[in-house]
Amino acid sequence: MAADSMLIVMFLLVEGFVVCNLFSVQCNASAEGDALIDVKKMLHDPQNVLESWDPSLVNPCTWFHVTCNNNQHVTRVDLAISDLSGTLSPRIGDLANLQYLHLFRNSLSGNLPTSLGKLKNLIALDLSGNKFSGKIPTSLAQLSNLRFLNLSNNQLSGPVPTGGSLSIFGYNSFKGNPGLCGGVVHKPCRRME
């Protein structure tokens, strides 16, 4: 009888895959999985911490370092201290239900994607201890649920955006970025001539 139950479960999983993919029906878990696979493609992962991120699985809720809610939506990605390098894909902004993004103490570089501002449910964002460069996207000020922000110890530059949700964060959220300027980092911004 257990074998019959397993066959039924396998049939339902395969059927869900076929419905989502063959008929181009948008399945939330599949769309979130696709976004995470794009994130994975842009990362160098010498320790294989992303090995379980398998594009053949419809639901990313079974992957390590990913947490989902009861509705099978990705709410948390924890990849801190994972020896990752590369850039952060703009597809990270497609995780509409994401509440926690922890990528601290890796070697991620490049610009912070402006699509981070699409993560309206984000509560905590920790990208500290990487090599991110360029300006902090002003789109982060739109994250009204954001309660924890740590962008410290990167190579970010330019003025720290003001207003919106960013107004609640102080010096410690931005320290260790010698190129940043503005009120919160206590360093005046030079005017461009």
Side-chain angles (χ1 to χ4, degrees), residues 43-80:
L43 299 176
H44 178 64
D45 178 20
Q47 304 298 324
N48 289 321
V49 296
L50 303 175
E51 187 175 15
S52 69
W53 292 25
D54 184 348
S56 67
L57 299 175
V58 176
N59 190 341
C61 299
T62 61
W63 301 350
F64 292 126
H65 312 288
V66 174
T67 304
C68 294
N69 62 16
N70 291 338
N71 296 321
Q72 301 299 298
H73 291 290
V74 175
T75 57
R76 187 178 194 116
V77 175
D78 289 300
L79 290 168

Side-chain angles (χ1 to χ4, degrees), residues 106-176:
N106 282 292
S107 293
L108 302 176
S109 59
N111 292 332
L112 296 177
T114 58
S115 63
L116 287 169
K118 292 170 44 181
L119 300 174
K120 302 298 183 193
N121 292 303
L122 202 62
I123 295 169
L125 175 63
D126 194 340
L127 304 177
S128 64
N130 280 288
K131 298 176 183 176
F132 288 113
S133 59
K135 294 182 177 183
I136 297 171
T138 57
S139 61
L140 290 183
Q142 301 167 10
L143 301 178
S144 59
N145 290 313
L146 197 62
R147 295 296 171 258
F148 177 83
L149 175 67
N150 193 348
L151 300 177
S152 67
N153 301 309
N154 278 287
Q155 299 167 8
L156 298 167
S157 60
V160 175
T162 56
S165 61
L166 292 181
S167 63
I168 66 171
F169 301 106
Y171 174 77
N172 287 335
S173 294
F174 306 100
K175 69 181 180 183

